[in-house]
């Protein structure tokens, strides 16, 4: 809803539309509107510069007028008959050309049922309907390879692939989309974007928040499922994909899917899991994962994961991709850091080369979106002394930030039918196939030393060992 509001504000919502909320609760359209307005008002002024500033009636009113509530149970055929009627009424009243987006803002256990019922009610068959019929689903898209395949099979029984929009909200982040611009709109980087020049890649998605009120969900999910085959792999795909032949959705999606097919099969030695203990974050004492609401006192669910991926293709053979993500880490920080190979030593043999850092290119996704190039420069003075320095591009120095919650582009793209930022069935399955051996391996053996990192730290010691084995180390989380 905040994204719809922002789309209205920027003139990107179509002038005629209807918004139908379907749920099993007893409530009137007025009550639903009231709740949504309340929610929007709570969002005003929240979370940084991108947040809503005010709720302006000029933009809110057309949305409020377009809203209507329909009580219905997702498992009940009658609900879909009623929905069909409501859609027809709205279409007739507003002349909507038959176009419908079904946004499954529901628990994932309903995805298959809703797709089936929509299909059986003739609501997604474009031969029967005039306009487009599209379905939006958001993660969790399955719990593992098998369930993701089953869900795809079910959706594809009733809809064509081009009608399905699988959202990964990381792709709504401007800085994630900008990786493609950085790589493919510049002549500078792509020629050095390979195993000849790159030593390794580190991708970090660190969060300082804990599981909060989501204990029940998290106990059934864990950090690996929650973050890796989706969000972290989107960052891997953007960094590692081959140049597409065009910016057409299918060309980009094909290149991204290829990456996961090329990942060398993981073994348990490539993965580390952790769970947070009590600790201190920004001077606040916070409790251990096991003490969070709806979490078992002897839970073995991971809240941290680190992986070492090798991509078996000509560009990346021999270049490790180290990934880590966790809750209750030192600070919130998402970045992709590319470490280049060191310069040959000969020229600077009398300087303390070993103390110098290698060159890095760091795409900072959030917060403080930026791109930083770290390289060595001569320190002024008579001696040849080198020092690591940085060139920084900060988004906020160049671009005015429009209020955005990250879903504006995604919803707009669904409206105009651009699938570039959405996941195709084969990509989802290939991503699950990569993590499947780890999910299975971990399910079969309880972690012995949980909790193994303090809240406010940089994660478990074993994550350092993962890189130390290769003679490398993590960048500090900051
Ligand atoms: C969600 C996960 O998909 O992404 C959460 O379920 C996580 O556990 C969130 O906190 C992170 O997204 P963002 O946009 O806040 O970085």
């Amino acid at each position: 809803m905040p994204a719809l509001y922002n789309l209205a504000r920027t003139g990107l919502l179509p002038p005629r539309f209807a918004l139908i909320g379907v749920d099993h609760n007893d409530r009137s359209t007025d009550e639903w509107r009231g709740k949504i307005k309340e929610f929007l008002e709570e969002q005003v002024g929240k979370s940084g510069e991108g947040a809503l500033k005010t709720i302006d009636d000029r933009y809110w009113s057309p949305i409020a007028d377009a809203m209507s509530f329909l009580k219905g149970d997702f498992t009940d055929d009658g609900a879909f008959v009623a929905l069909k009627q409501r859609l027809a009424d709205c279409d007739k009243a507003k002349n909507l050309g038959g176009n419908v987006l079904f946004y499954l803002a529901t628990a994932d256990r309903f995805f298959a049922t809703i797709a089936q019922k929509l299909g059986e009610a003739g609501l997604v068959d474009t031969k029967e309907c005039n306009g487009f019929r599209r379905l939006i689903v958001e993660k969790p898209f399955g719990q593992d390879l098998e369930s993701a395949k089953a869900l795809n099979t079910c959706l594809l029984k009733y809809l064509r692939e081009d009608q399905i929009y699988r959202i990964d909200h990381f792709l709504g982040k401007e800085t994630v989309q900008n990786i493609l611009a950085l790589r493919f709109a510049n002549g500078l980087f792509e020629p050095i974007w390979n195993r000849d020049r790159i030593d390794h890649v580190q991708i970090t998605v660190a969060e300082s928040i804990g599981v909060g009120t989501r204990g029940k969900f998290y106990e059934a999910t864990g950090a690996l499922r929650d973050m890796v085959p989706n969000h972290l792999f989107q960052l891997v795909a953007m960094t590692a994909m081959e140049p597409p032949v065009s910016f057409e959705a299918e060309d980009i999606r094909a290149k991204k899917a290829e990456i996961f097919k090329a990942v060398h099969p993981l073994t348990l030695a490539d993965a580390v899991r952790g769970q947070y203990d009590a600790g201190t974050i920004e001077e606040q004492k916070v409790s251990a994962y096991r003490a969070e609401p709806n979490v078992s006192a002897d839970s073995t669910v991971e809240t941290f994961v680190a992986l070492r991926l090798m991509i078996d293709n000509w560009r990346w053979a021999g270049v490790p991709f180290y990934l880590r993500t966790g809750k209750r880490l030192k600070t919130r920080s998402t970045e992709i850091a590319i470490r280049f190979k060191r310069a040959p030593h000969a020229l600077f043999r009398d300087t303390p080369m070993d103390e110098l850092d290698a060159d890095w290119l760091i795409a900072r996704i959030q917060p403080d979106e930026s791109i930083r190039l770290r390289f060595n420069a001569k320190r002024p003075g008579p001696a040849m002394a080198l020092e690591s320095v940085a060139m920084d591009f900060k988004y906020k120095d160049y671009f005015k930030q429009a209020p955005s919650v990250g879903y504006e582009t995604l919803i707009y793209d669904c409206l105009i039918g651009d699938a570039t930022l959405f996941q195709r069935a084969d990509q989802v399955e290939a991503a699950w196939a990569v993590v499947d051996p780890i999910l299975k391996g971990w399910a079969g053996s309880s972690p012995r030393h949980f909790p193994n990192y303090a809240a406010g730290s940089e994660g478990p010691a074993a994550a350092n060992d993962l890189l130390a084995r290769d003679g490398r180390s993590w960048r500090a989380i900051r």
Side-chain angles (χ1 to χ4, degrees):
M1 291 305 297
L4 280 185
Y5 174 82
N6 282 333
L7 286 176
R9 220 181 36 78
T10 46
L12 290 174
L13 266 195
R16 297 190 311 274
F17 70 98
L19 194 63
I20 305 168
V22 186
D23 183 33
H24 66 170
N25 287 332
D26 249 328
R27 67 164 64 131
S28 66
T29 292
D30 276 344
E31 281 165 343
W32 184 45
R33 252 188 223 126
K35 275 258 170 259
I36 297 287
K37 177 94 188 277
E38 233 171 72
F39 173 74
L40 285 179
E41 274 158 355
E42 277 167 33
Q43 302 305 305
V44 171
K46 259 196 178 171
S47 67
E49 287 182 60
L52 299 181
K53 301 252 175 340
T54 51
I55 303 296
D56 186 329
D57 266 343
R58 274 178 302 167
Y59 311 122
W60 165 246
S61 291
I63 300 178
D65 292 345
M67 288 167 74
S68 69
F69 185 78
L70 179 67
K71 179 179 150 77
D73 191 312
F74 305 140
T75 58
D76 169 23
D77 291 341
F80 293 82
V81 174
L83 178 60
K84 193 170 189 174
Q85 188 56 50
R86 177 71 63 87
L87 284 168
D89 295 345
C90 289
D91 203 83
K92 196 161 161 223
K94 300 192 173 186
N95 188 19
L96 300 177
N99 297 327
V100 185
L101 276 179
F102 296 98
Y103 194 127
L104 306 195
T106 71
D108 60 320
R109 66 179 186 280
F110 293 115
F111 292 169
T113 313
I114 296 177
Q116 179 193 345
K117 302 264 181 220
L118 288 173
E120 288 169 357
L123 281 166
V124 286
D125 183 347
T126 40
K127 281 189 230 89
E128 273 187 46
C129 319
N130 288 332
F132 64 67
R133 298 287 156 130
R134 299 181 185 137
L135 183 92
I136 308 178
V137 275
E138 189 158 0
K139 75 179 260 284
F141 199 88
Q143 302 298 323
D144 52 19
L145 178 59
E146 206 187 322
S147 53
K149 276 186 172 166
L151 182 53
N152 276 330
T153 306
C154 174
L155 298 190
L156 289 165
K157 188 166 167 201
Y158 300 99
L159 296 113
R160 295 185 314 271
E161 178 62 42
D162 66 277
Q163 293 179 280
I164 306 170
Y165 288 71
R166 298 177 191 81
I167 287 190
D168 184 307
H169 83 275
F170 262 50
L171 289 177
K173 296 182 193 290
E174 281 290 345
T175 34
V176 175
Q177 295 168 34
N178 192 46
I179 300 166
L180 290 190
L182 176 79
R183 289 189 57 196
F184 303 133
N186 298 294
L188 183 60
F189 300 111
E190 205 46 28
I192 56 169
W193 208 262
N194 57 48
R195 61 194 301 267
D196 295 336
R197 295 285 173 259
I198 293 177
D199 178 72
H200 73 278
V201 177
Q202 295 189 12
I203 298 183
T204 301
V205 181
E207 297 186 282
S208 54
I209 53 167
V211 294
T213 52
R214 300 164 77 217
K216 193 164 164 237
F217 159 81
Y218 213 80
E219 282 283 272
T221 309
L224 179 57
R225 284 191 177 88
D226 189 35
M227 299 294 287
V228 178
N230 30 66
H231 307 327
L232 272 92
F233 278 9
Q234 292 301 341
L235 303 182
V236 172
M238 290 294 209
T239 311
M241 67 188 271
E242 291 300 313
V245 287
S246 82
F247 272 100
E248 292 294 315
E250 280 319 296
D251 290 333
I252 293 186
R253 299 195 318 169
K255 294 296 178 200
K256 284 166 79 176
E258 265 173 19
I259 286 298
F260 299 103
K261 290 177 191 146
V263 170
H264 194 79
L266 292 177
T267 68
L268 286 182
D270 300 311
V272 168
R273 56 181 154 167
Q275 188 193 75
Y276 62 84
D277 203 345
T280 309
I281 298 184
E282 282 149 17
E283 291 166 28
Q284 297 279 318
K285 285 206 176 331
V286 296
S287 42
Y289 174 69
R290 289 177 176 180
E292 300 280 14
N294 298 317
V295 170
S296 142
D298 56 2
S299 172
T300 55
V301 167
E302 81 285 355
T303 60
F304 175 99
V305 40
L307 289 181
R308 177 181 181 276
L309 292 188
M310 299 303 287
I311 300 172
D312 291 339
N313 65 16
W314 276 70
R315 183 185 291 265
W316 296 115
V319 180
F321 280 64
Y322 300 105
L323 277 51
R324 66 180 158 168
T325 183
K327 300 245 183 256
R328 285 286 189 232
L329 294 173
K330 196 171 152 197
T331 190
R332 176 168 184 249
S333 167
T334 298
E335 64 172 38
I336 301 170
I338 316 275
R339 196 185 126 139
F340 292 94
K341 290 187 172 165
R342 281 179 190 279
H345 279 220
L347 188 57
F348 293 100
R349 64 177 164 264
D350 295 330
T351 62
M353 277 294 287
D354 287 347
E355 289 165 26
L356 283 175
D357 205 350
D359 303 338
W360 290 89
L361 181 73
I362 302 139
R364 196 163 165 81
I365 310 293
Q366 60 188 21
D368 311 323
E369 295 84 351
S370 67
I371 293 173
R372 163 173 282 209
L373 186 61
R374 263 206 168 278
F375 57 101
N376 296 308
K378 179 187 171 298
R379 194 182 299 147
M384 187 53 178
L386 300 180
E387 192 166 318
S388 175
V389 296
M391 287 196 308
D392 268 324
F393 151 67
K394 293 198 172 114
Y395 278 74
K396 67 171 170 21
D397 294 344
Y398 281 79
F399 305 114
K400 194 169 165 296
Q401 248 185 331
S404 156
V405 290
Y407 278 75
E408 291 79 358
T409 313
L410 297 172
I411 293 178
Y412 181 70
D413 285 354
C414 294
L415 287 170
I416 62 168
D418 181 346
T420 311
L421 297 177
F422 300 85
Q423 306 218 73
R424 219 168 51 185
D426 59 336
Q427 189 190 342
V428 171
E429 289 174 18
W432 277 118
V434 170
V435 298
D436 226 45
I438 307 296
L439 285 173
K440 292 204 171 99
W442 283 355
S445 72
S446 285
R448 269 171 299 153
H449 306 297
F450 272 12
N452 61 354
Y453 70 98
S457 70
E458 301 205 1
N464 298 336
D465 302 341
L466 188 72
L467 272 70
R469 282 201 318 249
D470 297 344
R472 301 187 173 101
S473 56
W474 290 108
R475 292 167 47 76
I477 296 178
R478 58 182 149 228

